Amino acid sequence: MSATIAPKLSEVEHVKIASRYLRGTLVDSLANRLTGALNPDDTHLIKFHGSYQQTDRDLDSERKQQKLEPLFSFMIRVRVPGGVASARQWQRMDALADAYGNGTLKLTTRQTFQLHGVLKRNLPAAIQGFNEVQMDSIAGCGDVNRNVMCNTNPHESAVHHQVYELAKTISAHLTPRTTAYREIWLDGSLQETTEAVDDEPIYGHTYLPRKFKIALALPPYNDSDIFSNDIGLIAIEENGQLLGFNVAVGGGLGMTFGLPETYPRLADIIGFVPTAEVVEVCEKIVTIQRDWGNRENRKLSRLKYTIDRVGLPAFVAELHQRLGYELTPARPYQFHSSSDAFGWTESPGGLAQLVLFVEGGRVLDRPGYRLKSALREISSFHTGEFRLTGNQNLILANIEPQYRARIQAGLEENGCAPKAEQLTRLRRDALACVALNTCSQAFAEAERYLPQLLDKLDAVIRAHDLADAGILIRMTGCPNGCARPYLGEIGLVGRAPGRYNLYLGADHAGERLNKLYREMLDEEGIIRELTPIFAAYAAQRQAQEGFGDFVVRQGYVKATTHGLNFHE
Ligand code: SRM
Ligand code: SF4
């Protein structure tokens, strides 16, 4: 390692510096057939290429006893700006999951596809496979701007289309310029060999101090949960015209148990910007974080900590200086909900949309529920899009009238079209992160366990006549916040196997964080604590009062007004 490097930089910063714009020794790592793993430094670099090295945690101890190396495999995250994929792209992802993954597709909380269980030797073929249908995984993970989210308003409108186009433009503008991705994964097979590009005009050679996230939303829907992003953009529309965006900065949800200096934080709105200047504003915010962000301690390196360290006024002043102009005051707007509106809707042009519930975002086949097969069949004739929502669900969008009945029948035949009354809203709106068996960070189950917990909670909910009450429940296997649990009206965060912290009191529109209510609950404890609160809510709620607002009004928890008082 070079002696000129400041000794305080974190390990990952050293790896980035030495990487020659994200190349590292990835080519050698891939060629090494003696292990299913990469060279240690490359495990950091491959994230920028959209992939994580993982092990099958269900098998870790057994393999250790057998003195075998862990069963290494890779998760690949395919970027889908705004969550919009064509039928052809869906078909390809479906096929790649079978050919190289574990046979399932994961629709994530940021509107991307994830493949799990890809062996090292199959990584290039998988990446080439989605490249052929104009998809990529560069910047799926890593210290760069990630998939740009955009709310998936099922009712097509010209404004919604403009917002989506902007999401794509921002994504393209902030995609790393290095040709390392193309050289390592694509050259010699599908792409012509390209000249190496060793210039990153926006990021520089050490990229950002940490991951960076941007989301756009068109009120009244906040299903992209914009306030949990480093930059949130709220579309301001007047008489069917897009005027511009309110800009919010400094959102992020990750924290670490036992480190109160880490906390979830919602973004602060700092002003309004006309549409034509949005990309420039995003770029300048990214460069401030590049220059001012903490490169020493990765636990304190997100933009939210940069802003709280220097103070919001100083941050905004710097932004204005870099822009050479000032944002104007934020415009009025109102969000109603951060959940998806399920079922069929019609667009003015005669096309239809179907918002489909996908439990845990996992597209798979199991007895009595053959979602993967049903969607594969639909993708063979559907002329519209497959839109991934930020709530891990799926919208079949722009369905031509002649296919409507066929789609409905196909879903019914495969057991994937439950009637609204069969599912409580609690279940339909629930989010769970991946957690075990692939996530290295998980202390507890989430995606694999939440449905069972919901079986029990549903009984309580129905007993209190709350099956139609929209209550947001979100579960994660650790405090990193991947299913945005701190924006759940009920948040369950894994502490240890079978044990969760219970958070209450977020609002229904993603505008207020929740607060810790009880710690280390097992299943019985969760049900015991929630049952009387559901009963009180059923009996004493005011008209239109959300569950999160109710628990705050009744004093179960104090309202969290800023990330800095989340732990109070
Ligand atoms: Fe996440 C890390 C899965 C959305 C905050 N996240 C991880 C890793 C890669 C675990 C790891 O570091 O080894 C997980 C891979 C598990 C697996 O096996 O697939 C993982 N995150 C996910 C997904 C798949 C959850 C899901 O079930 O849908 C989501 C993929 C999003 C995407 O498509 O890009 C996902 N992660 C989020 C979100 C929600 C969001 O962005 O809206 C958050 C909270 C918002 C935020 O960023 O603050 C989130 N993930 C984290 C963090 C904490 C970051 C922090 O600032 O502290 C980590 C850990 C880290 O970065 O060190 C993490
Ligand atoms: Fe893994 Fe934790 Fe994210 Fe869940 S919240 S996917 S356990 S990092």
Side-chain angles (χ1 to χ4, degrees), residues 344 354 356 368-371 374-375 377-378 396 404-420 422:
W344 287 93
L354 175 61
L356 202 63
Y369 178 84
R370 294 172 47 81
L371 183 63
L375 293 171
E377 162 67 13
I378 290 168
L396 298 174
R404 197 175 157 149
R406 189 168 164 194
I407 286 177
Q408 182 65 28
L411 291 168
E412 283 173 13
E413 278 160 23
N414 286 288
C416 311
K419 304 252 179 306
Q422 287 174 267

Side-chain angles (χ1 to χ4, degrees), residues 482-540:
C482 299
R484 299 188 288 272
Y486 313 113
L487 282 168
E489 290 175 290
I490 301 170
L492 289 162
V493 176
R495 280 280 298 267
R499 299 277 172 171
Y500 297 85
N501 281 2
L502 171 61
Y503 296 79
L504 296 175
D507 70 319
H508 195 74
E511 296 185 297
R512 184 181 62 237
L513 292 166
N514 53 22
K515 202 170 267 309
L516 181 63
Y517 180 63
R518 294 284 184 268
E519 289 187 74
M520 289 293 271
L521 297 177
D522 61 9
E523 181 174 283
E524 204 191 313
I526 295 168
I527 296 164
R528 188 185 60 238
E529 292 294 340
L530 286 176
T531 299
I533 310 180
F534 287 147
Y537 179 58
Q540 297 161 32

Side-chain angles (χ1 to χ4, degrees), residues 310-329:
V310 301
L312 190 62
F315 182 85
V316 174
E318 179 70 15
L319 175 62
H320 289 166
Q321 205 204 323
R322 291 192 188 202
L323 285 168
Y325 57 86
E326 298 196 355
L327 306 189
T328 56

